[in-house]
Amino acid sequence: MSAVSASRARPKRDQVKASGKSVPAVQSPAPSSRHLTPLGALSLPFVFTLALAAFGLLAPVRQNVHLLWAFLGAAAAVAAWNVMLLVSARRNRRTLTLAIELRKQHYLQACAQLSVFVYWGLYWSPVYASAYLIAGQLVFAYAFDMLLSWSRRDTYVLGFAPVPVIFSINLFLWFKPDWFYLQFLMVALGFAAKELIRWDKEGRRTHIFNPSSFPLAVFSLGLLLAGRSDITWGPEIASTQFYPPHIYLMLFLIGLPGQFFFGVTSMTMAAVVVMYLFGLVYFALTGIYFFFDSYIPIAVFLGMHLLFTDPSTSPRTELGRLIFGALYGLSTVLLYQLLASAGMPTFYDKLLQVPILNLSIKAIDRVARSEVLKVFDPAALCRWLKPRQRNLAYMSVWAIVFGVMSALDGVGDGHRGQFVPFWQQACAEARQYACPYLADMQQTHCVRGSGWSCNDFGVSAAERNFDFAAAEESFQRGCELGFPTSCMNRDRLSGGGRTFERAPPTLNDYPIILRGTKGPISDRTPSTLYARACEQGWPGACGAAAMNGSR
């Protein structure tokens, strides 16, 4: 059967297995097709190639020679491929087909991802400043995908498929401008893996790996082995995604349409619940939080909604999807611990395991269908419900779970682990990891301009770690920021003294030390700052808040 006739012979409804039975899934519109000459067809990727080269005219690209060559090199490679394919197609007298198919799973996912970029960019300006780089990757992705498809078959299906792949990659990893050619290679790897690495799954030939998570995992592993995470914005991405207010709620809401149409709620819910329960147990045993400032880091929560939940690369059974989600949550915990113990960046904890999970989906489905576990299959408990009704049932349960977690600060902006007073108490109680983490917080706040934090870090460095060089540097910084106690401690250290003074933070310190791991505080009126400090447990703040509130 030819590629064209095969595409027309596909059923209008994909079949999704649930509890051993095939049930109709979301209906996709039949593609409209046009038969084209090689020149007519391959002029389309050539237009995208010209557009890619045109990015070299942008001022930010021209000003960085490495970035300029990344764009021109990618355009040259695609152009050469285009010419070779045109010559080959004309010599073999091929008729190429362009089919247009707008699939709901692609544009819904893309809309959800785009909303994250828009909201995140309001609170971290590099997102908007890098929009042209994301656009360049999209142009490259379309050209690459067309050429790869027409190199292997006569039909290319044009739609929104490349958009969620590019958005997903860029929600988790960007290479800095000097190394941006690696971003194009990462995109190319994702589309190549989708096209070339395939298997038979329940009677269909389909790709094994999620086309965004596979290159993310491969490049993450390479960066870890090379020790070059510094050439990416990975750490900044993982931390700044927490800046927007109510970001957990936002991700929960934008995930609902996809969960309704594609039945992925069970995966997200299982991953979140398992990680949250682990966090509760860990806190009960240690008195501190495993991820320090949250039960579930925001970048991980994002991955639970928009990274590993691709229906095409996840289990078919409902119990299998619950297991799949639970494994993602547990593997994130394991990877975080392994990376932290090895002194490596931990933001890869949500990326490395997804291809391995993709490879395991057949085994997961076999286990889920086994006689031992069949009785636990949620589909078996509610056989009378149609697939869409079951989706609504899962979404209802998930909404209740999310609401309870929000009320308990399991997710949200008010987690105690963000704030200095919790870690001061934990350090005073000699909780494991508490004092080093408190020192990291104080050093960060010192760099941001808090004289109090510089002084407190200096005192801890001198009295706890006997690092007098670090203490002297921190005292000097605090003195320059106008914190008198820091000046006194600097002079005492220079004179050979080994006992130092602490002092409470000032109103100038509060905008820095009260933000936790959120974005900058916009309302800096004394009454608001003292109220925040009171909520976080700063000594004396509640009295000051009451005095300011009565004025």
Side-chain angles (χ1 to χ4, degrees):
M1 184 180 290
S2 69
V4 177
S5 60
S7 67
R8 291 176 176 172
R10 286 184 302 177
K12 292 184 179 180
R13 287 179 178 266
D14 293 332
Q15 298 296 314
V16 180
K17 297 276 187 176
S19 298
K21 296 181 180 180
S22 295
V23 294
V26 179
Q27 186 169 352
S28 300
S32 59
S33 302
R34 290 189 63 185
H35 301 292
L36 303 169
T37 64
L39 181 60
L42 293 171
S43 63
L44 186 57
F46 185 69
V47 170
F48 280 98
T49 303
L50 291 177
L52 184 63
F55 277 85
L57 301 175
L58 297 176
V61 178
R62 294 200 318 271
Q63 292 166 4
N64 186 312
V65 65
H66 300 286
L67 187 58
L68 176 62
W69 279 111
F71 273 94
L72 296 181
V78 174
W81 187 2
N82 205 343
V83 170
M84 290 188 292
L85 183 57
L86 175 60
V87 171
S88 173
R90 295 187 70 174
R91 183 172 61 245
N92 293 312
R93 299 181 179 181
R94 292 174 60 189
T95 298
L96 302 180
T97 301
L98 179 67
I100 299 177
E101 186 174 8
L102 307 181
R103 297 183 180 178
K104 187 176 294 184
Q105 61 264 40
H106 296 151
Y107 61 75
L108 279 182
Q109 183 87 338
C111 288
Q113 294 163 333
L114 180 60
S115 65
V116 175
F117 281 114
V118 171
Y119 190 45
W120 176 24
L122 292 173
Y123 296 89
W124 193 52
S125 59
V127 176
Y128 289 169
S130 302
Y132 72 97
L133 297 176
I134 299 175
Q137 294 170 67
L138 268 175
V139 171
F140 172 77
Y142 270 103
F144 187 93
D145 195 33
M146 289 178 194
L147 292 172
L148 183 59
S149 295
W150 273 325
S151 295
R152 292 176 52 80
R153 67 182 67 85
D154 292 334
T155 300
Y156 173 70
V157 180
L158 178 64
F160 292 109
V163 181
V165 176
I166 298 303
F167 283 175
S168 184
I169 288 174
N170 283 268
L171 281 172
F172 297 98
L173 193 63
W174 310 341
F175 282 92
K176 292 179 179 178
D178 287 355
W179 300 88
F180 198 74
Y181 71 93
L182 293 172
Q183 196 81 17
F184 288 121
L185 291 178
M186 185 161 56
V187 170
L189 176 62
F191 284 94
K194 181 181 178 182
E195 179 66 33
L196 302 175
I197 307 176
R198 305 175 76 85
W199 61 5
D200 291 315
K201 186 172 70 171
E202 300 188 351
R204 295 179 58 207
R205 190 73 178 169
T206 185
H207 56 284
I208 299 175
F209 300 112
N210 181 313
S212 55
S213 62
F214 181 77
L216 284 170
V218 171
F219 274 74
S220 295
L221 183 60
L223 289 165
L224 284 170
L225 293 176
R228 292 308 309 269
S229 298
D230 60 300
I231 66 176
T232 77
W233 293 108
E236 292 82 359
I237 289 172
S239 60
T240 61
Q241 284 174 344
F242 191 44
Y243 282 5
H246 310 296
I247 184 64
Y248 285 95
L249 176 61
M250 186 265 190
L251 293 179
F252 167 78
L253 293 175
I254 66 168
L256 294 179
Q259 292 168 8
F260 176 72
F261 286 108
F262 312 121
V264 297
T265 312
S266 54
M267 290 187 282
T268 295
M269 181 170 61
V272 171
V273 169
V274 164
M275 183 172 284
Y276 179 54
L277 292 177
F278 171 84
L280 290 176
V281 172
Y282 186 86
F283 180 78
L285 295 175
T286 65
I288 64 170
Y289 301 104
F290 183 76
F291 292 106
F292 294 108
D293 65 347
S294 61
Y295 283 107
I296 305 172
I298 190 60
V300 174
F301 195 75
L302 176 63
M304 291 171 170
H305 284 77
L306 298 178
L307 180 64
F308 90 109
T309 53
D310 177 11
S312 300
T313 56
S314 55
R316 291 293 192 183
T317 60
E318 293 187 20
L319 179 58
R321 292 190 172 195
L322 288 170
I323 296 172
F324 190 73
L327 289 175
Y328 182 75
L330 291 173
S331 61
T332 301
V333 170
L334 177 61
L335 283 169
Y336 181 90
Q337 182 61 44
L338 291 175
L339 292 169
S341 299
M344 295 179 172
T346 56
F347 68 89
Y348 298 110
D349 58 355
K350 57 195 171 289
L351 305 176
L352 293 169
Q353 70 273 48
V354 181
I356 298 173
L357 292 175
N358 293 153
L359 280 171
S360 70
I361 63 173
K362 289 184 177 181
I364 291 174
D365 274 335
R366 282 196 299 270
V367 170
R369 293 186 179 114
S370 66
E371 293 299 326
V372 176
L373 294 183
K374 187 183 295 184
V375 295
F376 299 104
D377 191 343
L381 302 176
C382 305
R383 294 183 184 277
W384 63 89
L385 292 178
K386 296 179 180 179
R388 189 64 56 81
Q389 293 173 322
R390 275 205 296 272
N391 288 351
L392 286 173
Y394 277 123
M395 291 172 65
S396 299
V397 174
W398 169 223
I400 294 171
V401 170
F402 181 82
V404 171
M405 290 176 60
S406 298
L408 298 175
D409 284 331
V411 291
D413 296 347
H415 191 277
R416 289 192 303 160
Q418 296 181 67
F419 306 123
V420 172
F422 172 83
W423 292 102
Q424 287 178 318
Q425 181 65 30
C427 180
E429 295 172 356
R431 303 287 185 182
Q432 189 177 17
Y433 307 123
C435 292
Y437 187 72
L438 175 62
D440 287 344
M441 294 179 75
Q442 291 170 331
Q443 194 169 25
T444 298
H445 294 325
C446 176
V447 170
R448 288 174 174 170
S450 167
W452 173 86
S453 297
C454 296
N455 184 67
D456 247 44
F457 175 78
V459 173
S460 297
E463 294 183 348
R464 184 174 294 115
N465 301 324
F466 306 106
D467 188 346
F468 299 111
E472 182 178 18
E473 182 180 351
S474 193
F475 288 146
Q476 177 63 31
R477 167 73 172 159
C479 184
E480 292 170 356
L481 290 170
F483 197 74
T485 308
S486 201
C487 300
M488 182 185 69
N489 284 333
R490 178 202 59 188
D491 296 340
R492 184 174 295 179
L493 179 62
S494 299
R498 291 297 180 265
T499 58
F500 307 98
E501 301 293 329
R502 298 181 190 265
T506 68
L507 196 60
N508 291 330
D509 294 297
Y510 275 158
I512 299 169
I513 63 178
L514 297 182
R515 63 180 282 190
T517 47
K518 296 294 289 182
I521 295 174
S522 55
D523 186 351
R524 301 190 175 197
T525 58
S527 59
T528 300
L529 292 175
Y530 282 126
R532 277 179 175 260
C534 178
E535 291 175 1
Q536 294 180 19
W538 286 91
C542 294
M547 290 179 59
N548 276 267
S550 62
R551 291 176 184 174

